[in-house]
Amino acid sequence: MSVENPVHHMQNPVLEENHNPLTPNEIHELFSLVLEPQQQPSSNRSSSSSETNRSIYTVEERKHRRMASNRESARRSRRRKKTHVENITNEVNRLKIENRELKNMLCVLSHDCHLVQSGSDRLLSESIYLQHKLAGLHQILAYSTAQQLQY
């Protein structure tokens, strides 16, 4: 008949997720709770029973406090995350509005630019036309002056 070592069946609290590591004193206390009943004679077991219950109660109490602390920490974390998501959502909405306003401004400015370009093209055409007309008038004047000089 072999007695299994209870230490092999315990989970390592340091490796568990979201679990605070135990201090060396707490680890020693846990090992002593597991190993003491096997090492003591049966007459001493009854007297250490109340001590063991107290130790178990304090370990259990610590576990409950730790769980409550973890719940509160998770609650704070969710609250921070929710606030962060709300802030980002507000920023996205603000940027969408700003983007829409900038697109509208671009549209108006593009339209104004098109109007100015059209006006500029019209004035350039008119200028060329008037320059040709002026050149024609200069020719007529020169011809007319040459005609008068001949007479």
Side-chain angles (χ1 to χ4, degrees), residues 10-25:
M10 292 180 56
Q11 290 182 342
N12 186 346
V14 176
L15 298 179
E16 290 180 18
E17 276 189 43
N18 297 327
H19 193 278
N20 295 333
L22 297 174
T23 65
N25 288 338

Side-chain angles (χ1 to χ4, degrees), residues 15-109:
L15 298 179
E16 290 180 18
E17 276 189 43
N18 297 327
H19 193 278
N20 295 333
L22 297 174
T23 65
N25 288 338
E26 290 172 328
I27 292 171
H28 177 71
E29 185 178 341
L30 286 173
F31 279 124
S32 67
L33 290 174
V34 172
L35 298 176
E36 272 182 19
Q38 293 176 355
Q39 295 172 350
Q40 294 178 350
S42 61
S43 62
N44 288 344
R45 282 189 190 169
S46 62
S47 66
S48 76
S49 175
S50 62
E51 288 177 23
T52 304
N53 287 342
R54 268 189 268 135
S55 297
I56 290 174
Y57 179 74
T58 58
V59 169
E60 194 66 27
E61 188 178 72
R62 279 191 222 133
K63 180 180 176 183
H64 285 298
R65 272 191 256 150
R66 191 170 47 250
M67 288 172 61
S69 174
N70 287 347
R71 274 194 296 273
E72 183 58 34
S73 177
R75 191 175 296 120
R76 285 191 307 266
S77 178
R78 285 190 301 271
R79 194 176 310 128
R80 278 192 307 270
K81 181 179 178 181
K82 181 181 176 188
T83 301
H84 181 67
V85 168
E86 287 172 353
N87 289 341
I88 288 175
T89 302
N90 291 339
E91 181 71 6
V92 165
N93 290 334
R94 186 189 65 76
L95 290 172
K96 282 181 179 179
I97 290 168
E98 182 180 349
N99 192 29
R100 190 177 331 117
E101 289 171 352
L102 290 171
K103 283 180 179 179
N104 290 340
M105 278 176 69
L106 178 64
C107 185
V108 168
L109 291 173

Side-chain angles (χ1 to χ4, degrees), residues 105-118:
M105 278 176 69
L106 178 64
C107 185
V108 168
L109 291 173
S110 293
H111 182 260
D112 290 349
C113 182
H114 178 70
L115 290 176
V116 169
Q117 186 66 44
S118 296

